[in-house]
Amino acid sequence: MIGTSSRRLVLTAVCAMSLPAHGIAAQDTTSRGIRLGLTYEPGTKPGVVILPVRGDAGGGGGGGSSDSIRAILQRDLDYSDRVAVIGGEGTSTSEPARSATGMLDYPLWKALGAAAIVQATLTPGSLHLALHDVTAQQVARIKDFPLAATAGSAEWRQLVHGISDEIEAWITGARGIARSRVLYVRDGRVYVIDSDGAGDRPLSEGGGAMSPAWHPNGRTFAYSAFGERGTQILIRDLGSRQSRVVPGTTRGLNITPEFSPDGSTLLYAHGEEAGTDLMATDGAGSTGGRRITVSRGTDNVSPSFSQDGRRIAFTSGRSGHPEIYTADVDGSNAELLTAFNYGEQSYRSNPAWSPDGRLIAFQSQLGGRFQIMTISLRDRSVKQLSSDGVNEDPAWAPDGRHLVFTSSRSGVKQLVVLDIETGRTRQLTHSPGSRLAAWSHRFADSSP
């Protein structure tokens, strides 16, 4: 057994550890592209130690904060909810947790719950990283990650987030979502924020913006905004910072745009005098939309695609009150998804189809307030995920495990991230009036 004082000493040693000066590369016994199978108890979170990064003096974190590479890696892995990060950025000690031979003392780390130890050295233009399998007592993976960007810049942060995602994949087999971003609306403008809450900045000019939606390429997004004769659908390019209006959306009501998973189709809701219908156009928004629902005086809005792009979920008032329906992508074979109930609870809207296809998240009115729910596509079972304050407009993270939604639980509208498996929540934004979130796909190396 390790005593309390010894445990405290080893935990604080996380921040004082440095890379051995010898032979890590010679110990790499894994094949490139094959995930590791680290040994840890099924159903538990593997403990991960991120050692101080040699050569990292810290960089500007954006938004007025300052982050080291280590701090970002620790936070990303913590926010993944798949691993338990051991140690913290603020601890220190003069005694490294090594054995008498100078190597990492694997038995000590194992006794403290560590399944993996991450060591890294910052070199010109890259980060050299080694992952230790604590149970096997050996280096399990080594890789050099490109990091040729100004420390603290948006590009640099995205590169570090990408490293976090690969570490998570090595350890758990599931790639992380750190290298993704969230669009949202505040003060009538579209903003973007990193998955960890950093890098918050506006993307659109003017006012009246609503319902942003990412294109799967991560370089463009669609949104609704007020025009001269109503609301219109615009597509904005992040590189050129130019917006253009989708033809046929310059008059009447045009809201809730949504791209198909392959980016080939853009759906949105259009209405003028009698009802609102879903319209479809190409993913570039280059032509006027074709009608895929028949309103008959009711409203059909808020489309969401299944991951294979063959089906959609949407809100419709065709039963006399808002409910969630599903249909083929051309609007045919529509069927009611949410069971009919009399009373105020029969208001269900704003569906979001999960990336794994198992669930649809939506908002439901309970006791006069909206709450976040999910419904299973397998057995139609419904689960309530929120109860504190008013909670609206759910959107899935690319891992299908986390949801972001608008919540008033802090007293003002903010974006909150929820892990649907553990119920853990964290506040993503810190500016009042943040709402209408859309989570991107995972970004590739050419992220914006």
Side-chain angles (χ1 to χ4, degrees), residues 36-47:
L36 302 180
L38 296 184
T39 304
Y40 52 90
E41 291 296 322
T44 64
K45 292 182 180 181

Side-chain angles (χ1 to χ4, degrees), residues 39 46-49 84 86 106 108-117 133-135:
T39 304
V48 180
V49 176
I86 299 175
Y106 292 116
L108 275 177
W109 286 118
K110 184 176 181 179
L112 290 165
I117 299 173
D133 184 334
V134 174
T135 299

